[in-house]
Amino acid sequence: MDTDTAIHAESLFIGGEWVPPSSSARIDVRSASTEQVIGSVPEAQEADVDAAVTAARRAFADPDGWSQWEPSRRADALDRLADELEARGDEIATIVSAQNGMPISIALQLEAGFPVAVVRYYAALARTATFEESHPHLIGGTTTVRREPIGVVGAIAPWNFPQTLAAFKHAPALAAGCTIVIKPSPETVLDSIPFVEAVMAAGIPAGVINIVPGGREIGAYLVSHPGVDKVAFTGSTAAGRSIAETCGRLLRPVTLELGGKSAAIVLDDADLDLSKIGEDLFGATFLNNGQTCFLGTRVLAPRSRYDEVVGVFEAFANSLSVGDALDPATQIGPMASERQRDRVEGYIAKGSGDGARLVAGGGRPADLDRGWFVQPTVFADVDNNQAIAQEEIFGPVLSVIPYGDEAEAVRIANDTDFGLGGTVWTSDEERGYGVAKQIRTGTIGINRYMVDPGSPFGGVKDSGIGRELGPDALRNFQSVKSIYR
Ligand code: NAD
C-alpha cells in the first residue's frame, strides 16, 4: 500500500449512514513499515459522539427494532455480517498490517479470520441460548427470568488487534440485542472502512453499529456519556484504571481487558527442538512483534538446563525474519508507532542498565532504514524484580529468568502484578496441567497458546476485570430481570 492507494474518508459512520463530521479535525494514519501517511479519516468530536450515542439509543429503543427481534433473526444478521467480513478478509488484513506492522501472514489468519469466527460463534449462540425461562416461585406462583439486552454499549479497542478485539465486543453485544458505539484507536482507524462496508452490506439496521474514531479524550467522553449503559474496554492497565474509576462513580457495568506480563514456564523435561515447537513457541512469545497482551515474555528456565534454554531462545530470535509487514515472508514487523518503538528501546536500555545479559537483538535492524523496527531481543540472567520482568514492554523482548525447582517456577510466575496468559512447556501434558492449575492467570496454554472463541478470555489482578468470549460473555451485555407472577 502506498500513498497512491491511500484511504481517505470524509464522513463518519453514524446512524447507518456516512454523515459529515462536526469539525474539520482529522486523524492521519502512517504505515508502521514505511512511516508514510496511508490514509486519513475525520476525528470524532464530542458532538459526533453525542450523535452516535443518540443513534444507538434510538435504534435500541425502536419497538420493532434490533433489541426486540427474535434472537434467531439477529443471528441471521450476524451470519450475514460474518460472510461480508470474510469476503473482505484480505482487504482488512492488508490495511491492519500496513497500519500497525502486524505481519501480513498473521493478519490474514487473525484479523481476517478471527472476527469472522467470533461473529459466527455468537450468531450460533443466539440461536441456542436461553433468553427467558420460568420456574416455580419458591413461595408460590411462578418466576420468569428474562435476559434482556443491557442497552447502548460503548466499546473501546486498542491498535494491536483492532478488528479482533472490536469483534470480542460487538459480536456478543449484538447477539444479546444491544446497540453499540465503537471507538477504534487512532493508529488503526482505516480498517473501520471495510468493516462499515460489511455492516452495510449485511443489512445491519441503522444505528445498531456506530463508529467514532478518536483518541483518549473522546474515549473518556464516550465512557462517561449519560446515554451509554455498558462499557467494554481493551487497552493498557493505566487507561483501564481510569475507565474503571469513571464507571465506578457512575455505577456503570464495565469489562476491562488490560495488559500482561505472562510467564512461559519451561519445565526440565521440555522438548525444545525448534523444528517441532517453533511455530507454537512463536505464537506464545513473539506473535505480532511482541505487541500481544497474552504473550509469555518472561521465560522461566530450569537451572539444570539454563544455558541450553538461553541458547534456544537466542537461536530462535536470530532466526526470525524482520521486514516490511506486507511481505509474506516477514515474521517480525515494525512497532505500531514511533512512540511504541521509543518505549521498547527504552526498556532494552533499561534491561542492559539493570545488569541483564543481552544475548540477541537489542537494536534496530541494520538493513531497514525506515519503519519503526526493533530486532527480536532476548535477555538472559534476568531477575524477576527488574523492570524488564515486571513491566509490560509490548515489543519483541523476552527475559529468560532462572529457577531451581518447580515450586520456585510457580512462585516466580505468580510474582507479578498481571495475570492474563502464560504457557507451560513440557513433554508430560499432565505435569504441565498440574503446573498450569497453580498459576494465577485468566488463561494459560500447555505447549501452545491459542485463544478459543468458545471459552472465556481475560485476566486477573492488573490484567483486568471480567471475561470476553465464550457463552458467558453474552451476559456482559444482558440485564437480568425476574418477573414474579
Ligand atoms: P491504550 O490504553 O493507550 O489505548 C487503548 C484504547 O483506549 C485506545 O482506543 C485509546 O484511544 C483508548 N483510551 C486510552 N485512554 C483512555 C481513557 N482514559 N478513556 C477512554 N479511552 C481511552 O492502550 P494501547 O497502547 O493502545 O494498547 C496496548 C495495550 O492494550 C497494552 O497494554 C495491551 O496489553 C493491552 N491489550 C490487552 C488485551 C487484553 O485482552 N487483555 C488485548 C490487547 C491489548
Side-chain angles (χ1 to χ4, degrees), residues 398-441:
L398 304 183
S399 297
V400 189
I401 301 168
Y403 70 82
D405 57 11
E406 211 174 276
E408 191 186 8
V410 169
R411 187 187 60 69
I412 297 172
N414 287 332
D415 181 12
T416 168
D417 290 337
F418 296 106
L420 182 59
T423 43
V424 186
W425 300 85
T426 173
S427 48
D428 178 347
E429 203 178 304
E430 278 312 303
R431 184 180 172 205
Y433 186 64
V435 171
K437 285 196 290 188
Q438 297 175 65
I439 307 305
R440 268 196 84 198
T441 186

Side-chain angles (χ1 to χ4, degrees), residues 30-36 97-102 323-327 330 333-336 368-373:
R30 287 179 185 275
S31 153
S33 298
T34 68
E35 304 180 25
Q36 302 294 309
S97 179
Q99 293 173 111
N100 72 2
M102 181 186 298
D324 189 308
L326 289 171
D327 181 341
T330 291
M335 303 295 89
L368 295 164
D369 55 4
R370 50 177 206 168
W372 299 302
F373 291 93

Side-chain angles (χ1 to χ4, degrees), residues 156-157 159-160 183 219-220 233-236 257-259 293 392 394 457:
I156 297 178
W159 44 260
N160 60 340
K183 190 206 80 65
F233 174 76
T234 298
S236 62
E257 303 286 1
L258 310 177
C293 50
E392 184 177 52
F394 229 51
F457 173 80

